[in-house]
Amino acid sequence: MSANGHPDPSRALLRHTIATLSYRAGKAVRNAPDHFSDFRAAPDTRSAGEILAHMCDLFDWALALAEGEERWRNVPPQAWSVDCDRFFSALTKFDGYLAGDASLGRPAEQLFQGPIADALTHTGQLTLMRRLSSSPIRAENYAKADIVAGRVGANQTAPRLEF
């Protein structure tokens, strides 16, 4: 809530962005083949598993920033399924903080331009890497997707318009 008791539009937009990220990242990581975690687009790039672990770190950091702290940890990649669970758990914790009444330790714009925008970029990388690794995901009209603030777990609604 803002100081006048009305919902804070910045927080609402952040929450919708996190739900959008969850939907899109979920599609990028769901049903990935066993070897995908080790896939690299080129020899000197991060593997898919390293990118996913980094995305987890980003949302641990996002929560710390929202709480008014500066805390970063690099956690090495774990099994793909473990890091998928960690990612959605981190999104859920961050979204829960945004849904609450505690003040933000950083402006919403900084939370967006730092960890959230970075994770959106990495989601696109994972999507491209799925295609490069011969396990593409279907394209979708994301404007028609059923995305709702607060729905940030691995379980999402079915796509409405894939092609």
Side-chain angles (χ1 to χ4, degrees), residues 56-76:
C56 297
D57 296 341
L58 285 170
F59 281 96
D60 291 343
W61 180 49
L63 179 58
L65 293 174
E67 293 172 338
E69 300 177 25
E70 181 64 50
R71 182 179 63 241
W72 177 266
R73 275 183 346 149
N74 281 318
V75 177

Side-chain angles (χ1 to χ4, degrees), residues 4-150:
N4 62 11
H6 297 293
D8 179 349
S10 296
R11 284 174 97 122
L13 183 59
L14 286 180
R15 291 193 70 217
H16 188 80
T17 303
I18 296 306
T20 301
L21 173 66
S22 181
Y23 184 90
R24 286 179 171 233
K27 191 166 180 170
V29 303
R30 191 177 307 112
N31 300 321
D34 293 338
H35 67 276
F36 184 64
S37 184
D38 296 324
F39 181 80
R40 294 175 188 277
D44 60 344
T45 62
R46 286 180 177 159
S47 69
E50 290 168 338
I51 290 171
L52 180 58
H54 176 65
M55 290 170 67
C56 297
D57 296 341
L58 285 170
F59 281 96
D60 291 343
W61 180 49
L63 179 58
L65 293 174
E67 293 172 338
E69 300 177 25
E70 181 64 50
R71 182 179 63 241
W72 177 266
R73 275 183 346 149
N74 281 318
V75 177
Q78 301 173 68
W80 185 257
S81 63
V82 171
D83 278 341
C84 285
D85 290 344
R86 181 176 167 230
F87 175 69
F88 291 111
S89 175
L91 282 182
T92 299
K93 289 175 190 171
F94 181 58
D95 182 69
Y97 190 88
L98 294 174
D101 291 333
S103 63
L104 293 178
R106 295 286 193 287
E109 294 83 359
Q110 284 184 355
L111 293 171
F112 178 81
Q113 75 189 35
I116 296 171
D118 198 15
L120 289 166
T121 298
H122 293 310
T123 298
Q125 290 172 325
L126 290 175
T127 300
L128 176 62
M129 291 170 78
R130 286 288 300 265
R131 183 166 296 284
L132 292 173
S133 70
S134 299
S135 61
I137 61 171
R138 293 189 63 190
E140 180 174 349
N141 180 341
Y142 290 105
K144 298 203 181 274
D146 182 26
I147 296 172
V148 178

